[in-house]
Amino acid sequence: MNLSKLLKGGAMPRMRQSQSIFAFGRLLLVFFGLLAATSLMAQRTVSGTVKDADGAPIVGASVIVKGTSNGTVTDLDGKYSLKVADENAVLQISFIGFQTQEIAVANRSNFDVLLTEGSTLSEVVVIGYGTQKKKDVTGSVTSLTSENFQTGNIATLEQLANGKLAGVQITSNGGAPGSGSRIRIRGGASLNASNDPLIVIDGMPLDNSGVSGAANPLSFINPNDIETFTVLKDASATAIYGSRASNGVIMITTKKGKKGDALRLNFSTLLSSSQKTKTVDVLNAAEFTSLVQSKGNADQKALLGTTSTNWQDLIYRTAFSSDNNLSATGSLGSVPFRASVGYLGQEGILLGDAMNRMSGSLGISPRLLNDDLKIDLNYKGALIKSQFANQGAIGSAVAFDPTQPLNGKSDFGGYFEWLDPSTKKPNTLATKNPVGLLKTRSDEGTVSRHIANAQFDYRLPFLKDLRANLNVAIDLSMSDGFAKVDSTVASEFTRQGVDRKYTQDKNNKTFQFYLNYVKELGDNRIDIMGGYEYQDFLREGTNLDKTMRGEIKEDTRYKTQNTLVSFFGRANYGFKNKYLLTATLRRDGSSRFAPENRWGLFPSVALAWRLNEESFLKDSKLFSDLKLRLGYGITGQQDVLSDYPYLARYTISESTAQYQLGNSFVTTLRPEGYDANIKWEETTTSNIGLDFSVADSRFGGSIDIYNRETKDLLSVIPVPAGSNLTNQILTNVGTMTNKGVELTLNVVPVKTNLINWDVNFNITFNENKITNLTKVATNNTTGILTGGISGGVGNTIQIHTVGFPRNTFYAQRQVYDASGKPVDGLYADENGDSKISPDDRYRYKQADPRIFLGFSSGVTVGDFNFGFVLRGSIDNYVYNNVNSNLGLFKPSSSAYLINSTRNALNVNFTNNQYFSDYYIENGSFLRADNITMGYNLSNLLKSKRMTARVSAIVQNAFVITKYTGIDPEIANGIDNNFYPRPRTVSVGLNLGF
């Protein structure tokens, strides 16, 4: 199905649930039209002079009517003159290195302005349940604004910050449209529970678990609506979120209007083309024929075809995408607002893969009762229609015989397939035609999601230093989907086809209330906050799976719920603006645990010393900031695999486990293993940091040293033999540490009226180690096998072992001959028992990088700008599962052929050597994530009412690596049928009115 068909909607079920977002979009368009009509205002002239603190005129200062493109710059005497709208207009005066000033025009016509030297220290950053000035922050907090985000064809919000923040590693799960990402903050804190951070949007903690019918639960938020992306990393910053904060917290705020803003319309469009950059290096038809003729047996030689087919070329395409957004920002009277609509149509490079998103948002922020009552009302909605290609075709295209044709007989979908010689039906063991896998399957999903919150902040009239804050929010999603494969298609021939339908509804409700008291008493500043939070997650759905002949394989309905109740408090104390103390305490109760284990207490404390405020530095013009931070705290983790892990459960047994009663067979129930005493994980974090800024913020950054220890790990461990329930169980056992250093540097080498050049660099060193994995201390425990691989039955290539990083590779040490080639089946006798077996496996390297870094730079010369983002990873290793499966040729009597990767020419293996460390490769890389060029057309247009900018962007421009596979950036370190990340070239246009 093509994009146009998907946009028309086809026969998608339950579309009634999504009509509201289209109605909302129509209302917004009407709203935009009405607002545009109000922008025709009378003009008058205002003038004045801009000077610095010493009275010297500032040449080239920007004077603009806020919210418009109407502006000018000061002349050699610091003077300016421009026409503005009526008395509601606001002048915005700025110059590099000085604080921006805003002045309401009212009835005046002359404005002489004095600019004072600026500093980023007055910037406000988002923290849990509030905001704080950057200079007063005591924890490890780092933030990006929309000006610093990644640009290009970006469908999900987490990609905005990729490579930009120290300690934050964002790894996309592949190149599929809207594909999710693995986000790790300081390495993650768990083995089997979630390692994903808590994500909070406009004060509402999201349920970021999977949404049926969508590739990524974060793809519903339009990145163009995001204003700030703030990461809370250490426990002193995150403990305010208690039981969900062990893996860090990401605070997202969306764009909003401001009081006094004039109406501004903005339209942006981005057109993109994506192509594969690399395919698996397999043998072509001639090479494969030669290999079979030289090493194959008579049966294999007889199976060779006469054509030449590049299967990987057939399954991939050039994909096109379009991202269009329209927004209006301003004030209706004294009520600030922002409204937007967006459409993203994104094709995948794999045939049949596509995602289409319609999104809308509306935010209004009235201020009432002399600004004592602040109200923020926010709505974000999205409708996503997805086509999911059969990603099994990626592996099939690598393995399928290149000497066979694309098409075959009309049977079995019309594509060439390997048949069983005796039955003349599809061979159940053979690789299926990759194009057939894509063309004969329909897999579509439709999801609507609505996130809304209302926040009320009231300064109490009888005590002006006390504020009451109430935030109520809801997150709703509704999913429908289906998958169909005809019964004659080879891939599902034995099953008699697929006819699957599913639904899912998710309802996440949040209620927050807190009181905040702020008071300054001489040199003392007190900021105390305490509150209550309730959050409930309800999920229900259906799954009906049938053959195309009506036989029911599965017919299930489910409903599950979990609830969190929390009490929290925070106290900030500052003395003389240089000694800062923050203490937090949160008590959480989770329905996921038994009543006796339900409640957890999560404290933290942090100290900061602003050395530049001391007498020996205060008069120095060198340091604009020099702050030492110390933090300690405890956070929790309760995001486990089930909402009821402490309760006994029974599941329906397999059809082969039925019990006969007379002539009838009854499906039995099977008891599952459980731990009635399961409880929280707890992570204790200590952090020491230094923030610095010198030379009027031309050079600055931060360095953090941290130590994180998680105890009572939620781990899946083997159960001793003899248990009748299960062979593995989820329980609390073991400890693990993450130790590391983070460094961030921000440099402005050149800053003039014409040229501005900034450079940003971050690097993170992280060492992960498991320190205990058993309830009873022992020295001879091998560990817990993990990291399942393709090939064989139940084979694994990684292990969790005390004294080693998690996901350490567990392999046999390969022996090589004199020419440097690996010897077939010969390994080092590691255990000294004089025989070679899987017991000789040893621990070798790890999947997670020890070092990762980001480097970005941007330069603006007049109306032209250029920038790039590089991202790297060092000392991460990848198991090349493609080569371990296909990097050899072996004689076989099977009635089908399997192609080989070029690695088959480098080894003489006659059998798969799945445990050989030969296949564990260095995955270190340097990737050019983003290269951007842009030009501001406003001066060419000579319009004071319109701004225009064009841009060209290349994403995934190049990768430097020694890894021989398709991509070294594999989240779990096992490369098998990876969806390639494409290279994307985009051109964009942005218009402002």
Side-chain angles (χ1 to χ4, degrees):
M1 181 179 290
N2 57 29
L3 282 175
S4 61
K5 184 176 178 182
L6 187 62
L7 285 173
K8 292 176 182 177
M12 289 289 185
R14 301 176 75 200
M15 289 302 296
R16 57 181 175 79
Q17 298 172 336
S18 307
Q19 292 173 351
S20 59
I21 192 168
F22 289 117
F24 176 73
R26 289 194 294 267
L27 287 174
L28 284 180
L29 291 174
V30 174
F31 186 53
F32 291 146
L34 292 175
L35 290 171
T38 66
S39 63
L40 299 175
M41 301 176 181
Q43 301 264 313
R44 61 195 181 90
T45 301
V46 296
S47 60
T49 304
V50 179
K51 298 180 179 180
D52 63 15
D54 297 325
I58 298 178
V59 182
S62 170
V63 183
I64 190 170
V65 177
K66 186 176 178 181
T68 74
S69 60
N70 179 24
T72 186
V73 294
T74 55
D75 60 19
L76 294 175
D77 297 320
K79 295 182 179 181
Y80 68 92
S81 175
L82 80 162
K83 293 182 178 181
V84 300
D86 60 10
E87 62 271 10
N88 292 322
V90 175
L91 292 183
Q92 192 174 62
I93 303 96
S94 62
F95 188 70
I96 295 173
F98 291 81
Q99 292 185 9
T100 298
Q101 282 201 33
E102 295 183 0
I103 302 174
V105 172
N107 295 317
R108 298 169 55 193
S109 59
N110 184 269
F111 300 90
D112 291 333
V113 182
L114 190 70
L115 293 183
T116 58
E117 290 188 5
S119 171
T120 60
L121 301 179
S122 60
E123 293 177 0
V124 173
V125 296
V126 180
I127 58 174
Y129 307 101
T131 59
Q132 201 169 24
K133 287 186 177 180
K134 187 175 180 179
K135 67 183 180 66
D136 295 330
V137 171
T138 57
S140 183
V141 178
T142 185
S143 183
L144 288 176
T145 66
S146 56
E147 296 176 355
N148 309 119
F149 288 159
Q150 286 258 30
T151 58
N153 184 19
I154 293 176
T156 60
L157 64 87
E158 74 275 9
Q159 291 296 322
L160 295 171
N162 206 357
K164 293 279 191 172
L165 302 172
V168 182
Q169 186 185 28
I170 301 173
T171 306
S172 71
N173 296 330
S179 180
S181 301
R182 190 189 76 160
I183 307 173
R184 294 294 178 265
I185 298 176
R186 293 184 169 180
S190 188
L191 287 181
N192 292 107
S194 173
N195 277 295
D196 296 330
L198 174 67
I199 297 178
V200 181
I201 294 185
D202 289 333
M204 179 181 187
L206 291 186
D207 173 12
N208 59 355
S209 60
V211 176
S212 297
N216 177 10
L218 298 181
S219 62
F220 294 88
I221 308 297
N222 188 338
N224 289 278
D225 291 330
I226 304 302
E227 178 65 27
T228 64
F229 189 106
T230 303
V231 180
L232 315 182
K233 295 187 287 189
D234 71 338
S236 66
T238 62
I240 195 66
Y241 286 104
S243 64
R244 295 172 288 177
S246 284
N247 297 303
V249 180
I250 296 177
M251 310 288 296
I252 303 292
T253 62
T254 55
K255 295 175 181 177
K256 297 176 174 62
K258 297 180 180 178
K259 187 175 181 178
D261 279 355
L263 172 65
R264 183 169 181 81
L265 300 179
N266 186 272
F267 171 75
S268 66
T269 184
L270 188 77
L271 303 177
S272 304
S273 172
S274 300
Q275 293 181 314
K276 65 181 186 298
T277 60
K278 187 177 181 181
T279 54
V280 177
D281 193 8
V282 297
L283 302 181
N284 60 35
E287 292 168 329
F288 183 63
T289 298
S290 176
L291 183 64
V292 173
Q293 293 289 4
S294 63
K295 293 186 175 182
N297 54 38
D299 292 337
Q300 291 174 311
K301 294 176 183 178
L303 293 172
L304 283 168
T306 59
T307 60
S308 177
T309 305
N310 188 322
W311 294 103
Q312 293 184 89
D313 279 354
L314 291 180
I315 68 167
Y316 295 119
R317 65 181 174 183
T318 297
F320 297 98
S321 301
S322 174
D323 189 5
N324 304 279
N325 294 276
L326 176 65
S327 67
T329 307
S331 288
L332 289 175
S334 61
V335 179
F337 75 92
R338 182 180 185 272
S340 71
V341 291
Y343 166 73
L344 170 68
Q346 188 176 45
E347 291 182 334
I349 60 172
L350 188 62
L351 285 177
D353 229 3
M355 182 188 81
N356 289 264
R357 179 181 66 205
M358 288 287 297
S359 63
S361 72
L362 177 63
I364 60 175
S365 306
R367 301 294 185 257
L368 307 175
L369 304 178
N370 295 321
D371 285 347
D372 283 344
L373 176 60
K374 300 178 181 179
I375 303 174
D376 285 299
L377 305 176
N378 301 289
Y379 167 79
K380 292 166 282 292
L383 171 68
I384 291 182
K385 292 184 178 183
S386 300
Q387 289 180 185
F388 301 104
N390 187 342
Q391 294 188 21
I394 296 173
S396 292
V398 174
F400 212 80
D401 179 2
T403 69
Q404 304 302 333
L406 170 62
N407 298 315
K409 297 180 180 179
S410 59
D411 298 335
F412 318 122
Y415 296 96
F416 173 85
E417 300 285 1
W418 293 108
L419 304 182
D420 187 289
S422 59
T423 65
K424 304 302 180 182
K425 295 178 180 179
N427 190 321
T428 58
L429 300 178
T431 306
K432 302 301 183 288
N433 188 303
V435 179
L437 290 173
L438 295 171
K439 294 287 190 176
T440 59
R441 181 182 180 90
S442 296
D443 190 344
E444 302 180 7
T446 300
V447 187
S448 62
R449 189 170 185 179
H450 310 271
I451 302 173
N453 77 296
Q455 188 167 19
F456 305 87
D457 190 283
Y458 183 48
R459 187 182 304 277
L460 300 182
F462 55 86
L463 186 59
K464 291 292 186 179
D465 300 317
L466 182 64
R467 295 169 31 245
N469 189 287
L470 172 67
N471 187 23
V472 290
I474 191 166
D475 177 5
L476 300 174
S477 69
M478 293 157 284
S479 306
D480 289 291
F482 69 88
K484 291 182 181 292
V485 181
D486 194 79
S487 60
T488 63
V489 173
S491 61
E492 302 294 347
F493 184 84
T494 303
R495 190 187 186 272
Q496 298 181 344
V498 174
D499 182 10
R500 179 181 175 234
K501 296 179 181 179
Y502 60 87
T503 66
Q504 184 191 62
D505 292 335
K506 301 181 74 174
N507 186 329
N508 169 12
K509 298 184 290 290
T510 300
F511 174 90
Q512 301 168 352
F513 177 79
Y514 64 85
L515 294 173
N516 187 201
Y517 179 78
V518 181
K519 185 70 174 180
E520 293 194 14
L521 300 170
D523 292 331
N524 303 278
R525 188 177 191 275
I526 301 171
D527 185 341
I528 301 174
M529 182 269 291
Y532 166 84
E533 181 174 13
Y534 169 89
Q535 192 163 18
D536 182 76
F537 304 88
L538 178 65
R539 297 178 294 279
E540 57 184 313
T542 64
N543 186 30
L544 176 60
D545 187 8
K546 301 185 297 182
T547 69
M548 290 302 287
R549 298 184 182 181
E551 179 187 351
I552 295 177
K553 294 290 186 178
E554 181 182 356
D555 186 3
T556 58
R557 299 175 182 272
Y558 64 88
K559 187 174 184 178
T560 182
Q561 183 177 18
N562 78 84
T563 304
L564 282 169
V565 175
S566 308
F567 301 90
F568 54 87
R570 177 174 58 220
N572 291 307
Y573 172 71
F575 180 67
K576 290 188 174 181
N577 201 31
K578 56 185 176 181
Y579 307 117
L580 308 171
L581 167 68
T582 301
T584 66
L585 185 66
R586 183 172 180 121
R587 181 169 170 79
D588 276 337
S590 172
S591 64
R592 282 178 163 150
F593 305 117
E596 56 271 21
N597 297 318
R598 185 155 292 169
W599 290 90
L601 193 65
F602 306 98
S604 76
V605 63
L607 298 169
W609 177 20
R610 299 194 64 211
L611 284 84
N612 61 304
E613 290 294 327
E614 294 289 355
S615 57
F616 55 85
L617 285 177
K618 193 167 186 178
D619 295 330
S620 170
K621 294 186 178 181
L622 177 63
F623 288 100
S624 51
D625 185 33
L626 187 62
K627 180 170 63 177
L628 179 66
R629 296 178 279 102
L630 298 172
Y632 174 87
I634 299 173
T635 51
Q637 167 65 288
Q638 52 85 43
D639 194 359
V640 292
L641 304 177
S642 166
D643 284 337
Y644 314 102
Y646 71 97
L647 295 176
R649 295 177 296 122
Y650 293 85
T651 57
I652 298 175
S653 299
E654 299 294 333
S655 58
T656 55
Q658 293 179 332
Y659 187 81
Q660 186 173 1
L661 291 176
N663 294 325
S664 301
F665 290 86
V666 179
T667 301
T668 60
L669 295 177
R670 178 180 60 197
E672 298 288 345
Y674 71 100
D675 181 0
N677 297 311
I678 195 170
K679 60 179 183 179
W680 316 91
E681 282 183 354
E682 285 191 0
T683 300
T684 301
T685 302
S686 54
N687 190 98
I688 180 171
L690 180 69
D691 301 328
F692 56 92
S693 179
V694 299
D696 191 24
S697 300
R698 294 281 294 272
F699 178 79
S702 64
I703 183 169
D704 282 83
I705 303 172
Y706 61 86
N707 180 63
R708 309 171 70 210
E709 181 177 9
T710 304
K711 68 176 184 178
D712 294 326
L713 282 167
L714 289 164
S715 306
V716 176
I717 62 172
V719 174
S723 171
N724 293 323
L725 294 179
T726 184
N727 57 357
Q728 289 187 325
I729 194 171
L730 177 68
T731 187
N732 295 98
V733 58
T735 57
M736 182 175 68
T737 63
N738 280 280
K739 299 178 180 179
V741 180
E742 300 168 353
L743 173 65
T744 299
L745 296 175
N746 303 305
V747 185
V748 183
V750 179
K751 184 171 65 173
T752 69
N753 293 339
L754 179 64
I755 302 175
N756 190 47
W757 178 24
D758 63 82
V759 178
N760 309 100
F761 174 76
N762 68 80
I763 187 168
T764 303
F765 304 82
N766 187 76
E767 180 181 279
N768 171 262
K769 183 182 291 186
I770 298 171
T771 53
N772 181 34
L773 268 181
T774 58
K775 291 181 179 290
V776 179
T778 179
N779 295 323
N780 58 1
T781 300
T782 300
I784 300 173
L785 296 174
T786 186
I789 60 174
S790 174
V793 178
N795 283 340
T796 60
I797 197 62
Q798 294 172 334
I799 194 169
H800 298 320
T801 307
V802 173
F804 292 85
R806 66 182 171 196
N807 297 325
T808 295
F809 290 106
Y810 193 45
Q812 290 178 281
R813 193 186 304 272
Q814 181 69 55
V815 174
Y816 296 82
D817 62 19
S819 65
K821 285 191 174 183
V823 180
D824 190 7
L826 186 57
Y827 303 99
D829 182 12
E830 292 289 325
N831 62 4
D833 63 358
S834 301
K835 60 180 181 181
I836 305 301
S837 72
D839 293 336
D840 290 309
R841 284 181 288 180
Y842 75 111
R843 293 154 188 85
Y844 174 66
K845 304 301 183 180
Q846 76 290 325
D848 294 328
R850 297 184 188 275
I851 302 172
F852 55 93
L853 53 91
F855 179 72
S856 60
S857 180
V859 60
T860 300
V861 181
D863 292 326
F864 174 80
N865 71 281
F866 172 81
F868 65 84
V869 179
L870 301 178
R871 189 165 49 82
S873 177
I874 300 174
D875 206 24
N876 60 293
Y877 282 76
V878 181
Y879 176 75
N880 194 328
N881 202 179
V882 179
N883 272 346
S884 67
N885 259 333
L886 303 174
L888 74 162
F889 180 83
K890 55 185 178 182
S892 170
S893 59
S894 301
Y896 57 91
L897 293 175
I898 296 178
N899 197 9
S900 302
T901 64
R902 195 164 302 280
N903 188 70
L905 305 179
N906 302 325
V907 300
N908 293 313
F909 292 170
T910 56
N911 287 289
N912 294 97
Q913 305 297 319
Y914 290 114
F915 299 137
S916 173
D917 64 3
Y918 171 78
Y919 296 112
I920 300 173
E921 303 182 40
N922 190 332
S924 302
F925 67 88
L926 178 66
R927 184 188 301 274
D929 249 4
N930 189 296
I931 300 175
T932 304
M933 293 182 290
Y935 189 79
N936 188 344
L937 299 173
S938 300
N939 289 332
L940 292 177
L941 297 174
K942 297 181 179 180
S943 171
K944 294 184 178 182
R945 286 187 169 273
M946 184 177 76
T947 60
R949 184 178 183 273
V950 293
S951 59
I953 305 163
V954 180
Q955 294 169 261
N956 194 23
F958 62 82
V959 181
I960 301 173
T961 183
K962 291 183 178 180
Y963 180 61
T964 62
I966 196 169
D967 197 311
E969 192 175 5
I970 308 293
N972 63 354
I974 299 174
D975 181 6
N976 183 39
N977 295 342
F978 183 74
Y979 195 130
R981 297 181 178 95
R983 177 174 296 122
T984 301
V985 178
S986 305
V987 291
L989 173 66
N990 189 295
L991 300 175
F993 303 92

